[in-house]
Amino acid sequence: LLAAKLFNIPAAGVYHTDFVSQAEQIKVDDGLVKLMKSVEQWFYSALDEVWVPTSEYMNILEARGIERIRMKIFHRGIDTEHFSPRGYNMKFIKNKFGIREGTNLLFVGRISKDKNLDFLLDIYSTIAERKGNVNLILAGDGPYLDELKQKTSKMEGVYITDTLSQELLPDIYSGADLFVMPSTTDTFGMVVLEAQACGLPALVSDVGGPKEIIVEGETGFVAKANDADDWTKKIEQIMSMKETDPAGYESLKSKAREHILRKYDWNSVIKEYQTAV
């Protein structure tokens, strides 16, 4: 950035991670959060262009004092050949991880407090008490992993797989019934793309970027952030659909895959950039 200013060269930057919101969720010192906001505002305001993953984050950054006129959407893509449905569904994860029969809720990502995983555990406990036949699979690694393992050690139906390889991810997506993303700090959510590319419907928060990746009611659903009743209701709705309306549930799965092929396959993304140029 300094070199660009010295030589009068236009500078562009990508906004990728919302460190400010993450810090607020983890509840770090207020003074540090204020400092992070100031540095973020200074840095991105010094750029000629700011490439942002979602329009939601254009609004957030504008509210933090960064001029919207500098912003452009940075479109993401995915390898839809690798992330594609596998044919064996539940069988793989049952054999691989010893998961019992039932509806499988899946979270994949960094295991950190800012991902709102305690809220997800509360939701799971409520549904498990009502329904019984439901599992929660948490795949990932991070600073909250050990504490999370302790919290869930006596929770029946909760499985923590640690980090999975890229090769295994399509298998676990294909073996689950619903992808759950309660985070309110994600600017985009590549895992939500991966899940849908594998034909897995997603339920995400209405705060943050992931809500823009799904088509409400067609490839998944959006629930109110930190609203336990809404999250519980929507998860139970999908569980009920799977049992009483299998054709409707299969439609969700196929439309999730079609949505990603149409909008986020790398060929489509590159073609969009070429057209823009």
Side-chain angles (χ1 to χ4, degrees):
L1 180 57
L2 177 61
K5 295 298 181 186
L6 286 173
F7 293 102
N8 198 29
I9 299 169
V14 176
Y15 186 86
H16 184 273
T17 304
D18 188 349
F19 292 112
V20 171
S21 290
Q22 288 180 356
E24 288 173 338
Q25 288 291 320
I26 296 169
K27 300 190 184 340
V28 301
D29 179 74
D30 287 345
L32 180 57
V33 173
K34 192 177 291 186
L35 175 62
M36 291 170 76
K37 282 183 179 178
S38 297
V39 171
E40 177 188 79
Q41 199 272 339
W42 165 81
F43 179 79
Y44 287 103
S45 293
L47 296 168
D48 298 282
E49 289 184 355
V50 181
W51 291 71
V52 185
T54 53
S55 58
E56 167 83 348
Y57 262 85
M58 283 186 166
N59 297 332
I60 290 171
L61 293 180
E62 186 177 27
R64 291 181 188 169
I66 299 165
E67 293 178 330
R68 196 181 189 94
I69 196 170
R70 300 175 188 268
M71 301 183 210
K72 290 185 177 180
I73 291 289
F74 178 41
H75 295 283
R76 309 289 181 87
I78 191 172
D79 181 352
T80 56
E81 289 187 14
H82 177 66
F83 288 101
S84 58
R86 306 296 195 253
Y88 30 74
N89 293 329
M90 172 70 183
K91 189 176 180 181
F92 169 79
I93 57 175
K94 184 179 179 183
N95 294 339
K96 179 75 177 175
F97 304 110
I99 292 171
R100 65 185 185 178
E101 294 288 341
T103 299
N104 292 317
L105 310 178
L106 173 66
F107 169 86
V108 175
R110 189 179 73 259
I111 305 298
S112 176
K113 280 189 175 182
D114 60 274
K115 294 293 184 180
N116 216 8
L117 296 178
D118 286 335
F119 172 75
L120 184 57
L121 289 179
D122 290 341
I123 297 302
Y124 169 75
S125 296
T126 299
I127 295 171
E129 191 175 329
R130 290 182 187 175
K131 301 285 185 179
N133 61 335
V134 60
N135 304 314
L136 175 61
I137 305 163
L138 304 165
D141 196 1
Y144 196 48
L145 182 62
D146 291 339
E147 190 173 337
L148 190 71
K149 284 182 175 180
Q150 289 180 352
K151 283 188 174 184
T152 60
S153 60
K154 295 181 180 179
M155 291 180 69
E156 191 176 354
V158 177
Y159 302 85
I160 301 176
T161 70
D162 296 350
T163 301
L164 296 178
S165 68
Q166 285 287 306
E167 292 303 313
L168 281 179
L169 280 174
D171 296 319
I172 198 166
Y173 286 131
S174 298
D177 299 296
L178 178 66
F179 190 80
V180 284
M181 185 74 160
S183 169
T184 59
T185 64
D186 276 69
T187 59
F188 186 75
M190 282 299 296
V191 287
V192 181
L193 280 195
E194 294 172 359
Q196 290 178 102
C198 294
L200 179 61
L203 175 63
V204 303
S205 168
D206 67 348
V207 175
K211 68 180 183 182
E212 293 185 21
I213 303 174
I214 70 165
V215 181
E216 172 72 10
E218 291 188 21
T219 73
F221 298 91
V222 178
K224 294 175 186 174
N226 298 310
D227 186 324
D229 288 339
D230 196 33
W231 274 81
T232 302
K233 177 183 174 183
K234 287 192 164 103
I235 291 174
E236 289 182 342
Q237 177 184 342
I238 296 166
M239 290 175 67
S240 176
M241 177 187 287
K242 186 170 175 276
E243 293 175 7
T244 62
D245 182 17
Y249 176 71
E250 287 301 318
S251 176
L252 272 181
K253 290 170 67 69
S254 62
K255 285 181 179 178
R257 170 73 177 167
E258 290 165 10
H259 171 57
I260 302 305
L261 285 173
R262 184 175 63 254
K263 197 168 180 182
Y264 295 100
D265 177 80
W266 269 122
N267 292 323
S268 301
V269 174
I270 291 169
K271 196 175 293 183
E272 187 175 330
Y273 278 120
Q274 287 173 334
T275 303
V277 172

